[in-house]
Amino acid sequence: MGAREGTGESLIFPPRPLRLSPATARAKLEAWVQGLPSPVGVFVHNADFARDVVQACDEARRHVPDDVAVLGFGGDDLACNLASPPISCIDGGGERI
């Protein structure tokens, strides 16, 4: 799980924990997005990073949601709605736990 069938290639970004400058992280994210199969769905751990993925898709000329469907987690409605196009997010219900 998490690898392309038969290639062993990771579909998880980053493939291992990294400490990068913001510019380097953005360039690596854009390169990662460019290398994804099409169509593909990307589940992101929070709405802010989901917006980063959408922006990387735009810079890599990958169309959201046609080429890359992005789904965020955390239920940050403002961040999800400010993205262009708006991002679907799952509310984890953390305040109810």
Side-chain angles (χ1 to χ4, degrees):
M1 190 77 118
R4 290 186 193 174
E5 183 93 9
T7 67
E9 187 177 347
S10 176
L11 292 178
I12 299 171
F13 182 85
R16 63 186 183 286
L18 302 173
R19 288 191 173 84
L20 305 171
S21 71
T24 300
R26 183 168 303 282
K28 285 191 172 288
L29 179 59
E30 183 180 335
W32 178 79
V33 164
Q34 187 63 43
L36 291 173
S38 184
V40 68
V42 177
F43 179 75
V44 185
H45 70 283
N46 69 40
D48 291 329
F49 192 56
R51 287 180 62 203
D52 292 341
V53 170
V54 169
Q55 185 174 4
C57 288
D58 184 55
E59 292 167 3
R61 307 230 189 281
R62 301 294 302 271
H63 299 279
V64 175
D66 298 328
D67 296 330
V68 182
V70 179
L71 179 63
F73 182 81
D76 184 344
D77 291 337
L78 181 61
C80 291
N81 289 326
L82 288 177
S84 181
I87 302 164
S88 295
C89 287
I90 297 170
D91 183 355
E95 43 297 322
R96 290 178 284 185
I97 296 175

